[in-house]
Amino acid sequence: MVKENICIVYGGKSAEHDVSILTAQNVLNAIDKDKYLVDIIYITNDGQWKKKDNIVEKIESVEELHLSDVDAGEITLLLKESSNGNDYDAVFPLLHGPNGEDGTIQGLFEVLDLPYVGNGVLAASSSMDKLVMKQLFEHRGLPQLPYISFLRSEYEKYQGNIIKLVNDKLTYPVFVKPANLGSSVGISKCNNEEELKAGIAEAFQFDRKLVIEQGINAREVEVAVLGNDYPETTWPGEVIKDVAFYDYKSKYKDGKISLQIPAELDEEVQTTLRNMALEAFKATDCSGLVRADFFVTEDNQIFINETNAMPGFTAFSMYPSLWENMGLSYSDLITKLIDLAKERYEDKKKNKYTID
């Protein structure tokens, strides 16, 4: 069997750099190497691109993926051809945060005319920006909790007015979030005005725009979506926390969370969540994969929190685990995503780029 040529891209100039490397290790150890010839490109913290060809052995440690003994190369040349000299059948970006899942690298792949896994430029960028995402959800009629948003320059000039606006419009606790980041980096749960100011200062270290959301006493439930024009969903799963706030440390370092799959919810609520996940997928014109996150109250009110266009993708993350529950293994999920990337690429080739 002739192998398809795949290039996995990971690392990146982002606060989520280490998460990306961990994801790459998981994917490289699960991808079907009888089906695919796999090259890797590591993007360092300072933006250098380093390539290693034909990965066949198991990756025992994330340290192996830092490629410290490999010289940096010119981007377009690294992506031009695989280690056997053929074009790539698909590029698989495993990048989280800015410069990875925000539409920037997707734009590069578009310009280079490369098939790539996951969401396109518009879906990636609008899903990354929490304010834009919320505005699109509002247009689609999806229920959300109250929120406000502002820029760093506005806060520097009108701090007193903005703090008053938060106090007038929202009720503590509130969550302060950088508008363009994931993995709970830079997010703070704030129970009073003093904590609010500290949370704003923390979040502005990571982005020029913030979103502050109303807190709620509710269960955190997530649905995985997979597909292109005709996406499918999983049954919902629930995040069970041993901490008050599900932050970066509890997600990736302390093991303070567990996943309940499927979530123990009424079937009607589960069906509603699945339908809302599809609406959110369509709201931002997504393709490939999306994880839709919701709040479900004790009396079964549902509020959409956000969608993640490049959700956590280690073997034990919620997204792959939800599909595992549906009978789709981690390895087969990787294959399905590559097939979806090729399908979308072939569909784009039907477009005309000349006028008769």
Side-chain angles (χ1 to χ4, degrees):
M1 181 179 71
V2 178
K3 293 185 179 182
E4 296 181 26
N5 299 291
I6 303 298
C7 185
I8 291 175
V9 183
Y10 63 95
K13 293 178 63 176
S14 164
E16 298 175 77
H17 181 93
D18 292 343
V19 178
S20 175
I21 297 175
L22 180 61
T23 302
Q25 180 190 20
N26 278 250
V27 171
L28 284 167
N29 288 339
I31 193 169
D32 186 352
K33 295 188 178 71
D34 291 329
K35 183 178 175 62
Y36 303 112
L37 185 151
V38 184
D39 299 339
I40 58 175
I41 290 178
Y42 169 53
I43 305 176
T44 68
N45 271 311
D46 59 0
Q48 293 184 331
W49 288 47
K50 300 182 176 186
K51 185 175 183 180
K52 188 172 183 179
D53 293 338
N54 197 13
I55 306 302
V56 295
E57 301 296 331
K58 182 178 180 181
I59 306 298
E60 300 289 352
S61 167
V62 293
E63 296 305 318
E64 299 175 42
L65 295 176
H66 283 88
L67 305 188
S68 56
D69 57 344
V70 176
D71 291 333
E74 201 279 319
I75 295 172
T76 55
L77 293 179
L78 297 182
L79 291 167
K80 186 176 181 180
E81 62 182 32
S82 69
S83 52
N84 66 7
N86 295 322
D87 293 340
Y88 284 113
D89 292 280
V91 178
F92 200 148
L94 296 172
L95 298 159
H96 299 286
N99 304 304
E101 61 177 303
D102 60 354
T104 51
I105 201 161
Q106 289 78 10
L108 172 64
F109 297 151
E110 292 282 354
V111 170
L112 295 178
D113 194 28
L114 292 170
Y116 60 94
V117 170
N119 288 279
V121 176
L122 174 64
S125 59
S126 58
S127 296
M128 189 68 191
D129 190 305
K130 292 179 175 64
L131 177 60
V132 173
M133 182 197 313
K134 287 178 179 297
Q135 291 168 337
L136 290 170
F137 289 165
E138 185 176 353
H139 181 73
R140 201 83 183 189
L142 294 166
Q144 303 178 80
L145 293 168
Y147 67 92
I148 64 170
S149 179
F150 50 89
L151 302 175
R152 181 164 47 214
S153 59
E154 294 173 328
Y155 185 71
E156 290 170 351
K157 192 171 184 178
Y158 303 111
Q159 177 177 333
N161 292 340
I162 289 173
I163 296 297
K164 183 177 185 304
L165 178 63
V166 175
N167 290 329
D168 289 346
K169 185 173 181 180
L170 307 179
T171 303
Y172 292 104
V174 298
F175 288 86
V176 180
K177 303 180 178 182
N180 291 278
L181 211 57
S183 296
S184 297
V185 174
I187 297 181
S188 301
K189 180 181 180 181
C190 306
N191 296 290
N192 53 54
E193 187 173 309
E194 182 179 355
E195 292 181 2
L196 173 66
K197 292 178 179 178
I200 290 173
E202 170 71 11
F204 272 140
Q205 294 185 68
F206 298 97
D207 197 10
R208 62 184 283 273
K209 179 167 58 176
L210 304 188
V211 172
I212 301 182
E213 300 171 352
Q214 175 71 61
I216 188 174
N217 183 19
R219 300 162 68 179
E220 296 183 27
V221 179
E222 301 176 351
V223 177
V225 188
L226 177 68
N228 289 330
D229 293 347
Y230 300 98
E232 301 176 87
T233 67
T234 63
W235 292 106
E238 182 174 1
V239 178
I240 308 296
K241 301 179 291 183
D242 292 333
V243 290
F245 171 42
Y246 179 35
D247 61 3
Y248 178 88
K249 195 163 178 277
S250 61
K251 274 184 179 182
Y252 297 104
K253 295 187 176 181
D254 292 344
K256 295 290 187 180
I257 63 101
S258 60
L259 308 178
Q260 176 69 49
I261 300 172
E264 296 180 357
L265 293 164
D266 293 343
E267 186 172 341
E268 182 180 350
V269 174
Q270 294 196 52
T271 300
T272 300
L273 286 163
R274 295 178 78 174
N275 289 335
M276 289 176 66
L278 289 174
E279 285 298 308
F281 187 91
K282 295 172 184 175
T284 48
D285 193 26
C286 291
S287 57
L289 73 168
V290 159
R291 193 193 69 228
D293 300 349
F294 301 90
F295 298 119
V296 180
T297 67
E298 188 175 345
D299 61 352
N300 288 333
Q301 290 187 78
I302 300 172
F303 300 93
I304 189 166
N305 179 24
E306 63 183 11
T307 52
N308 194 314
M310 185 56 223
F313 202 78
T314 68
F316 305 104
S317 297
M318 177 67 94
Y319 185 90
S321 297
L322 286 168
W323 282 111
E324 187 88 41
N325 179 63
M326 303 291 287
L328 186 63
S329 71
Y330 187 48
S331 179
D332 288 343
L333 175 61
I334 292 167
T335 298
K336 177 67 173 176
L337 286 167
I338 293 170
D339 288 343
L340 287 168
K342 295 186 295 179
E343 174 189 280
R344 186 184 60 186
Y345 181 75
E346 290 302 316
D347 185 58
K348 279 188 177 180
K349 287 171 67 174
K350 297 175 183 177
N351 297 340
K352 290 178 62 176
Y353 296 98
T354 59
I355 299 175
D356 295 334

